[in-house]
Structure formats: structure tokens, C-alpha cells
Amino acid sequence: MAGVMDKVNQLTELVGQNRMELLLFRLSGLSQRYGINVFKVREVLPCPHLTVMPRLHQFVIGVAHIRGNTLSVIDLAYAIGGRPSTNYEKGFIIIAEYNRSIHAFLVSSVERIINMNWSKIMPPPKGAGHSNYMTAVTEIDDELIEILDVEKILDEIAPNNSTINSDAIKSLKVPEGTKVLVADDSKVALKQVRRALTEIGVDVIEAHDGKEAFDALREMVRDGKRIQETLSLVISDVEMPEMDGYTLCANIRNDPNLRDLYVILHTSLSGVFNQNMVSKAGANDFIPKFNPDELASAVEKGLAIIQSGKSGADCVMKNSIKVG
């Protein structure tokens, strides 16, 4: 537990500074390097013995028994469009936590960890199309690094249900004309959130990173309009190029025209989150991806607080929270 809390405290120091740590690795048969957020990584190991089982997804090369857990191992190179990996025994697996589950990814080699500012991490090139597996790119040592959309990969292997329970829809109270700004760099995550919110009658405004979201918010109040006249609340991912969700939230709280917005942080970063991390960012709520019923309930809760006359700045989260 001490090691986990040390990592939490390290991440807390990055809150509001728009910084992250990136683990660099390579994939079999592919020349460039890739990256993944270190805080999602639990462990990196030489590839253990794999047991092949029937009816596995084509990207799952087998299962491994690690520290009492049985994990499906995903061939990351194959999953993003490369050739199936060979010589598994010479590779490594990255054990990471996404969307409340632990996953194992086969890579050919793991290099180093670097500390970066999110402003140096950019959205994918506009010509990349919708079939790519990038959420962002950056340049390190004069080389382009792709940050992979792991949520998209996982959704292709085991699609996530984004439909709200019909009984839950009947009990939800969402005022007509409710508009919500959703910021997320993952196309899959945006699609999931949009579908869930549309089911309960919410109009969704999309942004693909924190900077785009913050620019959109400032545009809404440019002519002196009150933000509440245009928008009910904000739902933001944490990991996003150019400006992360923590920094977006902090910027909202520091802007007198936006500070009253209710902000929900919605992220695939699972694990332990303490009081300092959430309150320092100025968030009102924090929920892990992706449960459509929980998301809808969080939106209803936020709308009820707003309707009671309180503002987002009045009810910033102060209680410790544990998720995952």
C-alpha cells in the first residue's frame, strides 16, 4: 500500500501542472515507438508461459497466470493492424489497468519513462482518418511517438455496453434542453458517452482535448453571456493532449466567467485517488469509465445540485475517494 500511495502522491504533484509520465515501448514488426501513461501501468514483466485456449479473440494470444490472477494477453502489434507477433518468449508484457479491469499487453521491448508536459503531446494528424489507433502523438529524440487508444483496442475485443438500464432511464430527472460539454480524446469513449447521455435526453457538445474544450467554453461567454445560459455541466477525461482534464478543471475554477460550472472527471485511470488530487483540480465528482448507469446518475446528481442554487465552485469535492 505504501508504494501505491507514493505513486498517488507523485501524481498529485502533477495535478494542475499539465504533466504526465510516459512509458515508451516497441512492438513486433513495427519500426516506431509507442507510449502509455505510466500511472495506468501496474507492472512490466518478461513474457511468461502462455496457455492457449479455444475460442479466444484473434488478438488474444493466450492467458497467463500472474500473482494469483489469470490474465488474457493481447498482442498489441496485431491489434493495431500489424502482423501477429512471433517469439513471444523474447517479448514483455505490460500489465495495465483500464476501465476497472486489469489487462496484459504483449510488446517486443520496453525502453524508458519520460516526464512530459501535455502541451507537447498533440492530437493525431487530421489526415490520419478514423481507423487509426492513436489518441495523440509527440516527438522525442526527433522521432514521432504514438500514444495508443487502448480504449478503442479493448472495445474491439470486448465491446462495452453503453446502453442505460431502461428502469434507470424512467427514474432519471433530466430537464429538457440540458446541454453538456464532453471532453475526451478517445473516439470510442466519446461515442459511448454521447450514446448514454442522448438516451436520457441530454444534448452533447464534443471536444477532443482539454484545450479545445476550454476554448469552446470561453467562446460561450465571449459576448458577456452567463455560461449557465448555454451549458449545464462539463464531463472531462483526465488524459488528453495539449491540456489534461485536471488542468482544464483548474482553468475553469480560475476563470471568473466559468468557475461556477459543475465538472465531472470521467477517466479510465483506475486505482486510488486521494483528497488532494480531486480537490486540487477543483472537480465536483469523479467516476471511473465506463458504466452508463453510473454516468447518468452522476449527471442527474450534478443537475440537481445546480437546480438547488449551488454552483460548481461551491461544492468542489473534498472527501477522499477510492475507485477501481
Side-chain angles (χ1 to χ4, degrees):
M1 176 58 74
V4 172
M5 292 312 300
D6 286 344
K7 176 55 74 174
V8 168
N9 291 330
Q10 290 171 24
L11 186 63
T12 301
E13 293 303 314
L14 302 182
V15 172
Q17 298 180 26
N18 208 37
R19 301 194 68 85
M20 57 93 73
E21 290 182 328
L22 199 64
L23 174 66
L24 302 183
F25 58 90
R26 293 185 183 274
L27 299 177
S28 175
L30 300 172
S31 59
Q32 70 176 90
R33 288 185 289 176
Y34 298 86
I36 184 175
N37 190 324
V38 168
F39 198 67
K40 290 184 175 178
V41 177
R42 284 194 164 197
E43 198 170 7
V44 177
L45 300 170
C47 186
H49 172 74
L50 300 179
T51 301
V52 179
M53 301 181 68
R55 294 186 294 277
L56 291 176
H57 190 279
Q58 61 176 333
F59 300 151
V60 178
I61 56 177
V63 298
H65 303 283
I66 301 170
R67 309 200 193 291
N69 294 317
T70 301
L71 301 178
S72 298
V73 179
I74 298 169
D75 182 351
L76 207 48
Y78 193 21
I80 67 170
R83 295 180 179 179
S85 300
T86 56
N87 299 323
Y88 302 155
E89 67 279 0
K90 295 182 180 180
F92 294 81
I93 58 169
I94 297 174
I95 301 174
E97 194 167 356
Y98 280 86
N99 301 351
R100 313 184 193 207
S101 301
I102 302 172
H103 306 273
F105 303 99
L106 177 73
V107 302
S108 61
S109 65
V110 176
E111 296 193 355
R112 58 190 170 108
I113 295 172
I114 58 170
N115 187 298
M116 296 193 68
N117 192 298
W118 274 107
S119 64
K120 302 294 184 184
I121 298 175
M122 309 301 293
K126 291 185 178 179
H130 295 287
S131 60
N132 73 81
Y133 290 87
M134 295 181 283
T135 58
V137 296
T138 191
E139 190 173 295
I140 299 172
D141 303 330
D142 297 322
E143 181 184 352
L144 191 69
I145 306 294
E146 289 188 16
I147 300 174
L148 294 177
D149 189 348
V150 177
E151 290 173 76
K152 179 177 179 179
I153 296 168
L154 294 175
D155 189 66
E156 290 182 352
I157 295 172
N160 213 328
N161 177 26
S162 57
T163 303
I164 297 174
N165 183 285
S166 58
D167 292 333
I169 292 178
K170 294 177 184 177
S171 64
L172 288 172
K173 300 176 181 178
V174 178
E176 187 176 348
T178 296
K179 289 186 178 180
V180 172
L181 175 68
V182 179
D184 203 306
D185 61 333
S186 169
K187 300 181 186 70
V188 167
L190 271 178
K191 180 179 178 181
Q192 291 171 342
V193 174
R194 181 175 64 249
R195 178 174 179 179
L197 295 186
T198 300
E199 277 193 284
I200 59 174
V202 172
D203 293 330
V204 176
I205 302 170
E206 295 183 3
H208 298 88
D209 57 63
K211 183 178 182 300
E212 183 180 326
F214 192 54
D215 289 345
L217 291 171
R218 288 192 294 184
E219 181 64 25
M220 291 175 191
V221 296
R222 185 172 61 86
D223 296 326
K225 289 183 179 179
R226 293 178 66 249
I227 188 63
Q228 292 84 352
E229 297 175 15
T230 305
L231 199 69
S232 299
L233 52 84
V234 173
I235 299 172
S236 177
D237 186 21
V238 169
E239 293 183 282
M240 294 182 290
E242 296 200 80
M243 182 188 294
D244 69 13
Y246 292 131
T247 305
L248 170 62
C249 191
N251 286 346
I252 289 172
R253 293 289 172 248
N254 290 330
D255 189 314
N257 295 315
L258 302 174
R259 68 186 304 270
D260 289 336
L261 273 170
Y262 191 94
V263 181
I264 300 171
L265 292 180
H266 182 231
T267 176
S268 60
L269 280 171
S270 301
V272 179
F273 291 83
N274 67 2
Q275 175 180 341
N276 291 337
M277 187 177 300
V278 191
S279 61
K280 185 175 179 181
N284 299 108
D285 204 350
F286 187 103
I287 53 174
K289 294 178 180 175
F290 175 75
N291 183 302
D293 293 348
E294 289 183 7
L295 178 63
S297 295
V299 169
E300 183 188 33
K301 172 186 170 185
L303 294 174
I305 289 173
I306 294 167
Q307 290 170 351
S308 73
K310 292 183 181 179
S311 71
D314 292 332
C315 49
V316 169
M317 283 191 70
K318 290 182 179 142
N319 296 322
S320 297
I321 183 169
K322 181 175 180 179
V323 296

